[in-house]
Amino acid sequence: MKVKEGTPEQAAEGADSGKVDGDTTPVPSESDPGTESRQHMHCVVGGAHAFILRISSFFGLAPLRFESRSTGFTVGISNAMCIYSYILVTILVICTIFGLVAEINVGVDLSVRMSSRMSQFVGTCDVLVVVLTAGAGVYGAPKRMRNMLKFMESVASVDTSIGAQYSLVTERKLCAVLIAILLFFSVLIADDFCFYALQAKRIDRQWDIVTNYIGFYLLWYVVMILELQFAFTALSVRARFQAVNGALALTAKHISIPLEKVKDPTSLNIFAIRVAAESRRCANNVSLLVDTLPGKENAVIIRKAVSGEPKLVVPPCEAIRRLACLHGALCNVVHRIGNSYGLPLIVILISTLLHLIVTPYFLIMEIIVSAHRIHFLVLQFLWCVTHVLRMFVVVEPCHYTITEGKRTEGLVCRLMTSTPSTGMLPSRLELFSRQLMLQSVSYTPMGMCTLDRPLVASVLGAVTTYLVILIQFQRYGE
Amino acid sequence: MKVKEGTPEQAAEGADSGKVDGDTTPVPSESDPGTESRQHMHCVVGGAHAFILRISSFFGLAPLRFESRSTGFTVGISNAMCIYSYILVTILVICTIFGLVAEINVGVDLSVRMSSRMSQFVGTCDVLVVVLTAGAGVYGAPKRMRNMLKFMESVASVDTSIGAQYSLVTERKLCAVLIAILLFFSVLIADDFCFYALQAKRIDRQWDIVTNYIGFYLLWYVVMILELQFAFTALSVRARFQAVNGALALTAKHISIPLEKVKDPTSLNIFAIRVAAESRRCANNVSLLVDTLPGKENAVIIRKAVSGEPKLVVPPCEAIRRLACLHGALCNVVHRIGNSYGLPLIVILISTLLHLIVTPYFLIMEIIVSAHRIHFLVLQFLWCVTHVLRMFVVVEPCHYTITEGKRTEGLVCRLMTSTPSTGMLPSRLELFSRQLMLQSVSYTPMGMCTLDRPLVASVLGAVTTYLVILIQFQRYGE
Amino acid sequence: MKVKEGTPEQAAEGADSGKVDGDTTPVPSESDPGTESRQHMHCVVGGAHAFILRISSFFGLAPLRFESRSTGFTVGISNAMCIYSYILVTILVICTIFGLVAEINVGVDLSVRMSSRMSQFVGTCDVLVVVLTAGAGVYGAPKRMRNMLKFMESVASVDTSIGAQYSLVTERKLCAVLIAILLFFSVLIADDFCFYALQAKRIDRQWDIVTNYIGFYLLWYVVMILELQFAFTALSVRARFQAVNGALALTAKHISIPLEKVKDPTSLNIFAIRVAAESRRCANNVSLLVDTLPGKENAVIIRKAVSGEPKLVVPPCEAIRRLACLHGALCNVVHRIGNSYGLPLIVILISTLLHLIVTPYFLIMEIIVSAHRIHFLVLQFLWCVTHVLRMFVVVEPCHYTITEGKRTEGLVCRLMTSTPSTGMLPSRLELFSRQLMLQSVSYTPMGMCTLDRPLVASVLGAVTTYLVILIQFQRYGE
Amino acid sequence: MKVKEGTPEQAAEGADSGKVDGDTTPVPSESDPGTESRQHMHCVVGGAHAFILRISSFFGLAPLRFESRSTGFTVGISNAMCIYSYILVTILVICTIFGLVAEINVGVDLSVRMSSRMSQFVGTCDVLVVVLTAGAGVYGAPKRMRNMLKFMESVASVDTSIGAQYSLVTERKLCAVLIAILLFFSVLIADDFCFYALQAKRIDRQWDIVTNYIGFYLLWYVVMILELQFAFTALSVRARFQAVNGALALTAKHISIPLEKVKDPTSLNIFAIRVAAESRRCANNVSLLVDTLPGKENAVIIRKAVSGEPKLVVPPCEAIRRLACLHGALCNVVHRIGNSYGLPLIVILISTLLHLIVTPYFLIMEIIVSAHRIHFLVLQFLWCVTHVLRMFVVVEPCHYTITEGKRTEGLVCRLMTSTPSTGMLPSRLELFSRQLMLQSVSYTPMGMCTLDRPLVASVLGAVTTYLVILIQFQRYGE
């Protein structure tokens, strides 16, 4: 299996539009997500993306080597980290399973979390789902990272073509959101732990709780980081769709279509996550490609003028062609991310659905039947919030991506309607429009479902109906 | 953020087709729905639209300044009204919450609406949903109105292009429907109030009921007005889709395609809601646009002949191009309305679903188990009717809009099939058809669901299944 | 509202392709389904269609005047029949309602069908649903028939263009199916009646049963006939889609595309239902149209050669254009039929869903709990079969129509792939393909749902899940 | 009804691109799936396909005559085998029904599988579903095989055009998977049998169990083989879609589009299932076709060079045209397979849904309520696994096919975006893209549902919700 590794962009040197020196391939190769790369690949990441990758790396979800650079970190698959990840998660899983078995063996009377056969069953399911998700996350991490490194080249090529720049403010905001979510989750986990430890203290089993559940709580962290990693990856791709739309709007402005208003003169620079493919390697590959792609294939579409205003450096017709190429490449990236995170995402969705059915039920029963355990009430409420939050962490970035995809459709429509019917432009736009009809911008993990807001709506609808039935029946059962 | 404010149409002066004096831009700018406009914008509204806006304004849902004109009212965002709205809704919400707390504290035995823990829970949910909807409605009102003023320019440009006229009869009918719905709702609210006051009188708590629930009942009004406001806005846009379809049919007639029959010689005049963008302001903007859009971009497509018959003032090919532009602009308006009303609509839909599950259940139980409280029976029946009505008030205008969208598709198909294959017309129609495939005419609040009849069908299906299960079980529980 | 009445086809005279004497308009006018025609329209129907219309007419569902002709019956709206229909259904509805009230008043102990408050409620719902369906059917019949007469002209124009002939065998088969369904239903109704009469005989109330339920049973007939009428109308349109597909296949054969195999040399003659528009009237209209549509618009596409083989009488390119027109017109007919039968169909679907939930439940309970009332068992089983049959009577013709629509898509694809890329043919096929993408061939009564097999699947799925839940619970309730 | 039987490909002789001797028709005829072929058709199959057909043939699901050849087996419909199938299944069905009746008559107390009226009902349903599926499978087998022989010609024509070769390794893997599934199922059936026989031994009824259930267990085998047969057929078609995609990728490479990377130099040879149409028959038909299709229609697109590398033997533009034809033909094959297996697939899906609701319920109840019957627990778990496996056996091949269909769309998009806008290529690609929009690659048995992963998701969702409700209620019922 020959993996085309090269085709990087000399992002740093700000090549002129006339100067085509090898940094050409605008569109990455379609490669099988499942292929193993023979050589280590490298990629420069910065900002929030580097931050989440470092955290992921600590939890075994990103077995990467980080080398500090001026612009960020060069990352590459590291075998040592792979081994670390596998050992870490294996130990945690074994701990958790042993803890679970110990807790079940202790019997219904002494256990604080499993005070009946039913809660033994529910508790076991809960633990197994977390183990499964974390396992799917960590054991699949090397392959996922390898894929990530590959599609980051597509993403970096978009950055080069569009002339995008790094926005420190957005970066910091994203890091803040990330830290806030993690802090909230840590507080919740700590509180949950304390609650059961306090309960167990009455029967002097608090240390058993600590030893039996420590693995479980740490695996919860792995699951959470995995979700955040997916969310950041999806947000990073979405920022490129935004950039392509910005470039489309700029093209529209350039050909005097008065309908477009670029939201902000610096909008093309809002890149939440910095990615740059390294250019040193694979010069041979590139030269090979230069043979097949003559010089006109130079990828740069937009460059900042001296005044700070972005402007087109190619004719509109050519810009449209290249933007269509970039859009196709990004669609492909979306497809591959969906494949990479397929199994963990499906497990996460199912577990969220189950949790969203069970947790509010306990909460509402606690409110209606007995309202004196205020700590338990708060805890259950926080878990409800967490599960809803988890669902949104997964779905919202996908929703934003879909929205950008729809915006592209709107912009292409508008360009089609308004361009004069002569020249190459209409035919290029027609091609783009047909491409948009055939390729959808959506995450479909394992082809099971589309991650979007209607999925949230149907999950919430199912949960609501279910709760209403339960409460209605409960009432007549009293 | 630079907001393009101008591009109005001199709707009043009935410009000749030869006289193109700056009032040109046929298609409005795509502007971010979330942008704050730096300058106050104005818009002339009349008839039913002015009526609903005035009522909305009273309930804090339209913080506008109204200036009387010969043709209607000039409306613009008013800071004073914004403050009034915020104060009004804040007071109502605080009243309601305090009332709710007071009612809960009075205990299960003394309360007439919350005679069990379960009904305390259900009642609290009910109140909170109403508070949430009204809050989302009023606090988002200024932004929503700002958006409305913007997209009204698109709407007004359609009016100018199509040569539409104001129909007093339709206007009056709409106002009558509006007043009928509000009267029905007032009677219901009053009846509900009396029922519980009477019940409370037995234990001498009737004044508590009044003070505890007055805020709740007033917030119900706010919710109702919000729904009607959305319905009227959607109907107003739908009237423009109808007009575009009418113009398409006229174009078909003009190029001797015998398939089209304009339903009514005056059909192009049936405009339920009068909107006219003011033309005085923003002359500078317009002149800017005139640079980019030369004189041939004159928007007028159809004008009334002396005989009263509407006729095309541009060649069919050009008419198709402009109608496609108008259609795209209207699709954009639909999209922005969906965004503006997103959160309130979702809350309304969820609350309607919940109410439609709970209310008929009480009604049917009352019929089967005990049929002596005839007043309660009638009240529950009226609430059922109201909730169904609320759903239809929201969904029907959207359904009509979708139907017009489908009619456009049908008309374009027909034109495509029948036009000769020479000249520019086929390529223009092809463009239009591709635009129709890419852009959908549908309201999707927050991207959660599409507001259409199948949504009603699935809601009714869920409610039916649920009721059958409950009743079937109830039967064997007796 | 001016209704274009004319544009008939001189179906009888077998005009030559060179001889264009007025029988021209290949595509009918798009007319509003809600318009009242000023003049009485006439139409010649024969065979199974005439048969079902006569039966419908007897039950008040087709207020038509029938005049015998050599080729069938000339039908036209008859005011006398309208009055008869209204009187008939009003009497039946009043009888039913009075019977229902009498039965409820007799009390739970004496009634044989309403032996508990629950069965009083279920029985009332049952009666009201039947009354509603029959009412919607009969009171809307005149408008529906007026629409039918209009779209029959479209249908007749297809017949003329394609050179279709009448197939007596298919006709007789259809009549046999119709009679079989009606006989089965009559037996069921009679059996149901006898069962309850026998039960009532024990307490000497058999005559009360007769007088109370006679109206209800007769209204059931009206509902059944209404469903069959819709099914026949849909089948009749579907036969024309088949004919268009046949003509497409013939065209493919003509231009030497070896992929098509006409199933049967006489396949173009299989017309289940004979429709012919009369040609005498509206010559003035036609001449008007002839002005706009010059002689080349002659509709005949296929004519039987002397050898009995059908052959094209126009060049393939022109044939494709005309078939696209006919296809569009048929799509329009489908849309209008969906609108005409909208309300009754929705009521029928909901009532079928409810019956399919309730009836099998009684059946299964009877099997599991007590198996000694063998007559009741058989009766419930027959009712189950009847409700499933009713659903299929409504859905299957729609499914067949959708299948024909898909076949058209397949044929056009195949023609597109195989035609040489020169000449007018590719552009005509492209137009056809775009038309197919925009216009769907499906019945969507009131826009609520699409009548197709997935609807059946979801209904059956809901019923199955529901029954499993009920039985599972029943088990633990014992 | 004239069935075009010929148009085979001389697959063996490796015809040169210049040498067009009759083996031409690249696309098979669209023939009605329901037609009876007048002559016996033959087809050469090999490898895993021959293996599954032989097993099917033994169980009456493939009434074929096998003649050994050098390259595999020539298969053709055999009347003797048809009679054998019918007799076999009739005997089994009668055995099963008699066994069921005997078991019911033995009474609730003595029976080991039907220890209550409820389990009598559930057990009867279980048996009847298996009987129905096996009956639908075997009685429809001759028609299904006749269809299979027809569409195998399409499949063989793809093989010839693409220059595909047989891969022994994949073949053996598939056979291994097949045998593994069958072994697993045999073990399960044997275990199930033993469990009940052991239980029956306590009351000395073990021989009754053997005689009563032997037919039932054998029919289970028939059902399983039927599912595997469908899965293999679908996988075989999917391998051809893969080959078409491979050829598309090769074409892209040929016209110097650097985006495509053929996964593997020998990827075009991975054909899991060998099919070759025989060329001796129907020379007359072919010559007929040669008249209409001149020599340029030679089907070979790709041929292995001496170096083992596949290369295009026609210009890219022509290659695209032919690949579009092949793709259309394969879509048609998919459609016909869906029709052939329609009824059995629907019955299988419904029975799987029911089993997936009932089996895990017993399993979970056994775990929660009483955990001492460890054998029963394991048995129920294995049945759960089997039912999930059955669903995946049916759905996964369809999912893979859909994925290949999406890959084709992606490849065509990419070609569209990257080809120069001159020459015939863009218009050919446009045709292909429109064809892809009109024709879907999906299995829809009886038009009821689409066999894909979302179907699995909705089934699993329904099962999960149902189980949660049952367990939750169970808990409060204790």
Side-chain angles (χ1 to χ4, degrees), chain B residues 50-70:
Chain B
F51 184 57
I52 183 78
L53 282 180
R54 295 226 93 165
I55 296 177
S56 301
S57 157
F58 178 72
F59 281 95
L61 287 162
L64 300 173
R65 191 187 325 107
F66 291 85
E67 284 166 34
S68 189
R69 290 288 164 92
S70 60

PDB file of all heavy atoms in Angstrom, chain B residues 50-70:
ATOM      1  N   ALA B  50     -49.329  45.995  10.673  1.00  0.00           N
ATOM      2  CA  ALA B  50     -49.230  47.091  11.639  1.00  0.00           C
ATOM      3  C   ALA B  50     -50.042  46.766  12.886  1.00  0.00           C
ATOM      4  O   ALA B  50     -49.612  47.021  14.022  1.00  0.00           O
ATOM      5  CB  ALA B  50     -49.728  48.372  11.006  1.00  0.00           C
ATOM      6  N   PHE B  51     -51.195  46.165  12.691  1.00  0.00           N
ATOM      7  CA  PHE B  51     -52.079  45.803  13.789  1.00  0.00           C
ATOM      8  C   PHE B  51     -51.386  44.837  14.754  1.00  0.00           C
ATOM      9  O   PHE B  51     -51.319  45.082  15.964  1.00  0.00           O
ATOM     10  CB  PHE B  51     -53.358  45.194  13.196  1.00  0.00           C
ATOM     11  CG  PHE B  51     -54.399  44.849  14.204  1.00  0.00           C
ATOM     12  CD1 PHE B  51     -54.902  45.819  15.073  1.00  0.00           C
ATOM     13  CD2 PHE B  51     -54.910  43.562  14.281  1.00  0.00           C
ATOM     14  CE1 PHE B  51     -55.876  45.492  15.999  1.00  0.00           C
ATOM     15  CE2 PHE B  51     -55.879  43.233  15.202  1.00  0.00           C
ATOM     16  CZ  PHE B  51     -56.360  44.205  16.071  1.00  0.00           C
ATOM     17  N   ILE B  52     -50.823  43.750  14.188  1.00  0.00           N
ATOM     18  CA  ILE B  52     -50.183  42.757  15.055  1.00  0.00           C
ATOM     19  C   ILE B  52     -48.940  43.350  15.711  1.00  0.00           C
ATOM     20  O   ILE B  52     -48.643  43.069  16.877  1.00  0.00           O
ATOM     21  CB  ILE B  52     -49.857  41.445  14.289  1.00  0.00           C
ATOM     22  CG1 ILE B  52     -49.245  40.374  15.217  1.00  0.00           C
ATOM     23  CG2 ILE B  52     -48.895  41.652  13.148  1.00  0.00           C
ATOM     24  CD1 ILE B  52     -50.231  39.687  16.061  1.00  0.00           C
ATOM     25  N   LEU B  53     -48.247  44.236  14.983  1.00  0.00           N
ATOM     26  CA  LEU B  53     -47.055  44.845  15.579  1.00  0.00           C
ATOM     27  C   LEU B  53     -47.428  45.752  16.746  1.00  0.00           C
ATOM     28  O   LEU B  53     -46.744  45.793  17.761  1.00  0.00           O
ATOM     29  CB  LEU B  53     -46.262  45.617  14.529  1.00  0.00           C
ATOM     30  CG  LEU B  53     -45.409  44.780  13.581  1.00  0.00           C
ATOM     31  CD1 LEU B  53     -44.677  45.676  12.597  1.00  0.00           C
ATOM     32  CD2 LEU B  53     -44.417  43.919  14.341  1.00  0.00           C
ATOM     33  N   ARG B  54     -48.548  46.448  16.592  1.00  0.00           N
ATOM     34  CA  ARG B  54     -48.976  47.331  17.688  1.00  0.00           C
ATOM     35  C   ARG B  54     -49.336  46.512  18.921  1.00  0.00           C
ATOM     36  O   ARG B  54     -48.972  46.871  20.048  1.00  0.00           O
ATOM     37  CB  ARG B  54     -50.198  48.157  17.259  1.00  0.00           C
ATOM     38  CG  ARG B  54     -49.898  49.126  16.136  1.00  0.00           C
ATOM     39  CD  ARG B  54     -50.474  50.493  16.409  1.00  0.00           C
ATOM     40  NE  ARG B  54     -49.483  51.325  17.059  1.00  0.00           N
ATOM     41  CZ  ARG B  54     -49.571  52.654  17.177  1.00  0.00           C
ATOM     42  NH1 ARG B  54     -50.639  53.276  16.694  1.00  0.00           N
ATOM     43  NH2 ARG B  54     -48.651  53.345  17.773  1.00  0.00           N
ATOM     44  N   ILE B  55     -50.078  45.438  18.714  1.00  0.00           N
ATOM     45  CA  ILE B  55     -50.430  44.585  19.853  1.00  0.00           C
ATOM     46  C   ILE B  55     -49.158  44.012  20.476  1.00  0.00           C
ATOM     47  O   ILE B  55     -48.974  44.034  21.697  1.00  0.00           O
ATOM     48  CB  ILE B  55     -51.380  43.448  19.415  1.00  0.00           C
ATOM     49  CG1 ILE B  55     -52.714  44.019  18.920  1.00  0.00           C
ATOM     50  CG2 ILE B  55     -51.632  42.477  20.562  1.00  0.00           C
ATOM     51  CD1 ILE B  55     -53.663  42.976  18.410  1.00  0.00           C
ATOM     52  N   SER B  56     -48.255  43.487  19.615  1.00  0.00           N
ATOM     53  CA  SER B  56     -46.986  42.946  20.095  1.00  0.00           C
ATOM     54  C   SER B  56     -46.253  43.983  20.914  1.00  0.00           C
ATOM     55  O   SER B  56     -45.690  43.685  21.977  1.00  0.00           O
ATOM     56  CB  SER B  56     -46.094  42.551  18.926  1.00  0.00           C
ATOM     57  OG  SER B  56     -46.703  41.606  18.117  1.00  0.00           O
ATOM     58  N   SER B  57     -46.251  45.192  20.391  1.00  0.00           N
ATOM     59  CA  SER B  57     -45.540  46.275  21.046  1.00  0.00           C
ATOM     60  C   SER B  57     -46.079  46.501  22.459  1.00  0.00           C
ATOM     61  O   SER B  57     -45.325  46.700  23.416  1.00  0.00           O
ATOM     62  CB  SER B  57     -45.682  47.525  20.183  1.00  0.00           C
ATOM     63  OG  SER B  57     -45.509  48.671  20.928  1.00  0.00           O
ATOM     64  N   PHE B  58     -47.396  46.403  22.601  1.00  0.00           N
ATOM     65  CA  PHE B  58     -48.025  46.564  23.903  1.00  0.00           C
ATOM     66  C   PHE B  58     -47.572  45.481  24.880  1.00  0.00           C
ATOM     67  O   PHE B  58     -47.345  45.723  26.052  1.00  0.00           O
ATOM     68  CB  PHE B  58     -49.551  46.553  23.745  1.00  0.00           C
ATOM     69  CG  PHE B  58     -50.286  46.667  25.034  1.00  0.00           C
ATOM     70  CD1 PHE B  58     -50.306  47.881  25.735  1.00  0.00           C
ATOM     71  CD2 PHE B  58     -50.948  45.579  25.586  1.00  0.00           C
ATOM     72  CE1 PHE B  58     -50.988  47.994  26.932  1.00  0.00           C
ATOM     73  CE2 PHE B  58     -51.623  45.687  26.789  1.00  0.00           C
ATOM     74  CZ  PHE B  58     -51.645  46.893  27.462  1.00  0.00           C
ATOM     75  N   PHE B  59     -47.413  44.262  24.377  1.00  0.00           N
ATOM     76  CA  PHE B  59     -47.004  43.153  25.238  1.00  0.00           C
ATOM     77  C   PHE B  59     -45.483  42.999  25.316  1.00  0.00           C
ATOM     78  O   PHE B  59     -44.986  41.993  25.804  1.00  0.00           O
ATOM     79  CB  PHE B  59     -47.641  41.839  24.769  1.00  0.00           C
ATOM     80  CG  PHE B  59     -49.071  41.689  25.197  1.00  0.00           C
ATOM     81  CD1 PHE B  59     -50.117  42.050  24.363  1.00  0.00           C
ATOM     82  CD2 PHE B  59     -49.373  41.217  26.464  1.00  0.00           C
ATOM     83  CE1 PHE B  59     -51.426  41.921  24.774  1.00  0.00           C
ATOM     84  CE2 PHE B  59     -50.682  41.087  26.876  1.00  0.00           C
ATOM     85  CZ  PHE B  59     -51.717  41.447  26.037  1.00  0.00           C
ATOM     86  N   GLY B  60     -44.771  43.956  24.762  1.00  0.00           N
ATOM     87  CA  GLY B  60     -43.319  43.943  24.900  1.00  0.00           C
ATOM     88  C   GLY B  60     -42.602  43.114  23.858  1.00  0.00           C
ATOM     89  O   GLY B  60     -41.398  42.913  23.944  1.00  0.00           O
ATOM     90  N   LEU B  61     -43.344  42.618  22.849  1.00  0.00           N
ATOM     91  CA  LEU B  61     -42.709  41.751  21.862  1.00  0.00           C
ATOM     92  C   LEU B  61     -42.237  42.487  20.613  1.00  0.00           C
ATOM     93  O   LEU B  61     -41.665  41.877  19.718  1.00  0.00           O
ATOM     94  CB  LEU B  61     -43.684  40.641  21.456  1.00  0.00           C
ATOM     95  CG  LEU B  61     -43.887  39.583  22.532  1.00  0.00           C
ATOM     96  CD1 LEU B  61     -45.147  38.805  22.269  1.00  0.00           C
ATOM     97  CD2 LEU B  61     -42.693  38.660  22.574  1.00  0.00           C
ATOM     98  N   ALA B  62     -42.528  43.789  20.527  1.00  0.00           N
ATOM     99  CA  ALA B  62     -42.059  44.555  19.374  1.00  0.00           C
ATOM    100  C   ALA B  62     -41.678  45.960  19.838  1.00  0.00           C
ATOM    101  O   ALA B  62     -42.514  46.871  19.797  1.00  0.00           O
ATOM    102  CB  ALA B  62     -43.132  44.605  18.292  1.00  0.00           C
ATOM    103  N   PRO B  63     -40.450  46.145  20.317  1.00  0.00           N
ATOM    104  CA  PRO B  63     -40.060  47.454  20.862  1.00  0.00           C
ATOM    105  C   PRO B  63     -39.832  48.469  19.754  1.00  0.00           C
ATOM    106  O   PRO B  63     -38.702  48.832  19.453  1.00  0.00           O
ATOM    107  CB  PRO B  63     -38.776  47.131  21.628  1.00  0.00           C
ATOM    108  CG  PRO B  63     -38.225  45.916  20.975  1.00  0.00           C
ATOM    109  CD  PRO B  63     -39.353  45.183  20.356  1.00  0.00           C
ATOM    110  N   LEU B  64     -40.935  48.918  19.143  1.00  0.00           N
ATOM    111  CA  LEU B  64     -40.850  49.795  17.965  1.00  0.00           C
ATOM    112  C   LEU B  64     -41.479  51.151  18.258  1.00  0.00           C
ATOM    113  O   LEU B  64     -42.350  51.282  19.113  1.00  0.00           O
ATOM    114  CB  LEU B  64     -41.586  49.152  16.783  1.00  0.00           C
ATOM    115  CG  LEU B  64     -41.093  47.799  16.303  1.00  0.00           C
ATOM    116  CD1 LEU B  64     -42.044  47.261  15.246  1.00  0.00           C
ATOM    117  CD2 LEU B  64     -39.689  47.910  15.749  1.00  0.00           C
ATOM    118  N   ARG B  65     -41.026  52.139  17.509  1.00  0.00           N
ATOM    119  CA  ARG B  65     -41.658  53.440  17.500  1.00  0.00           C
ATOM    120  C   ARG B  65     -42.566  53.486  16.275  1.00  0.00           C
ATOM    121  O   ARG B  65     -42.149  53.122  15.174  1.00  0.00           O
ATOM    122  CB  ARG B  65     -40.580  54.530  17.417  1.00  0.00           C
ATOM    123  CG  ARG B  65     -41.094  55.934  17.657  1.00  0.00           C
ATOM    124  CD  ARG B  65     -40.002  56.963  17.381  1.00  0.00           C
ATOM    125  NE  ARG B  65     -38.684  56.481  17.750  1.00  0.00           N
ATOM    126  CZ  ARG B  65     -37.747  56.111  16.864  1.00  0.00           C
ATOM    127  NH1 ARG B  65     -37.984  56.179  15.578  1.00  0.00           N
ATOM    128  NH2 ARG B  65     -36.561  55.683  17.275  1.00  0.00           N
ATOM    129  N   PHE B  66     -43.814  53.904  16.454  1.00  0.00           N
ATOM    130  CA  PHE B  66     -44.749  53.983  15.329  1.00  0.00           C
ATOM    131  C   PHE B  66     -45.010  55.443  14.977  1.00  0.00           C
ATOM    132  O   PHE B  66     -45.392  56.221  15.852  1.00  0.00           O
ATOM    133  CB  PHE B  66     -46.081  53.314  15.690  1.00  0.00           C
ATOM    134  CG  PHE B  66     -45.996  51.832  15.836  1.00  0.00           C
ATOM    135  CD1 PHE B  66     -45.597  51.272  17.031  1.00  0.00           C
ATOM    136  CD2 PHE B  66     -46.289  50.999  14.770  1.00  0.00           C
ATOM    137  CE1 PHE B  66     -45.503  49.901  17.169  1.00  0.00           C
ATOM    138  CE2 PHE B  66     -46.212  49.630  14.903  1.00  0.00           C
ATOM    139  CZ  PHE B  66     -45.813  49.078  16.109  1.00  0.00           C
ATOM    140  N   GLU B  67     -44.783  55.815  13.707  1.00  0.00           N
ATOM    141  CA  GLU B  67     -45.162  57.154  13.267  1.00  0.00           C
ATOM    142  C   GLU B  67     -46.210  57.019  12.174  1.00  0.00           C
ATOM    143  O   GLU B  67     -45.990  56.324  11.184  1.00  0.00           O
ATOM    144  CB  GLU B  67     -43.943  57.891  12.699  1.00  0.00           C
ATOM    145  CG  GLU B  67     -43.001  58.384  13.781  1.00  0.00           C
ATOM    146  CD  GLU B  67     -41.662  58.779  13.169  1.00  0.00           C
ATOM    147  OE1 GLU B  67     -41.654  59.283  12.022  1.00  0.00           O
ATOM    148  OE2 GLU B  67     -40.642  58.554  13.833  1.00  0.00           O
ATOM    149  N   SER B  68     -47.311  57.702  12.371  1.00  0.00           N
ATOM    150  CA  SER B  68     -48.398  57.561  11.409  1.00  0.00           C
ATOM    151  C   SER B  68     -48.019  58.232  10.089  1.00  0.00           C
ATOM    152  O   SER B  68     -47.443  59.317  10.060  1.00  0.00           O
ATOM    153  CB  SER B  68     -49.667  58.198  11.992  1.00  0.00           C
ATOM    154  OG  SER B  68     -50.758  57.898  11.179  1.00  0.00           O
ATOM    155  N   ARG B  69     -48.312  57.564   8.992  1.00  0.00           N
ATOM    156  CA  ARG B  69     -48.136  58.101   7.638  1.00  0.00           C
ATOM    157  C   ARG B  69     -49.440  57.954   6.869  1.00  0.00           C
ATOM    158  O   ARG B  69     -50.372  57.317   7.356  1.00  0.00           O
ATOM    159  CB  ARG B  69     -47.063  57.296   6.872  1.00  0.00           C
ATOM    160  CG  ARG B  69     -45.676  57.484   7.351  1.00  0.00           C
ATOM    161  CD  ARG B  69     -45.146  58.851   6.968  1.00  0.00           C
ATOM    162  NE  ARG B  69     -43.971  59.132   7.747  1.00  0.00           N
ATOM    163  CZ  ARG B  69     -42.742  58.850   7.335  1.00  0.00           C
ATOM    164  NH1 ARG B  69     -42.561  58.317   6.145  1.00  0.00           N
ATOM    165  NH2 ARG B  69     -41.711  59.122   8.085  1.00  0.00           N
ATOM    166  N   SER B  70     -49.436  58.468   5.674  1.00  0.00           N
ATOM    167  CA  SER B  70     -50.643  58.299   4.852  1.00  0.00           C
ATOM    168  C   SER B  70     -50.841  56.825   4.502  1.00  0.00           C
ATOM    169  O   SER B  70     -51.952  56.318   4.448  1.00  0.00           O
ATOM    170  CB  SER B  70     -50.511  59.131   3.574  1.00  0.00           C
ATOM    171  OG  SER B  70     -49.373  58.694   2.865  1.00  0.00           O
TER     172      SER B  70
END
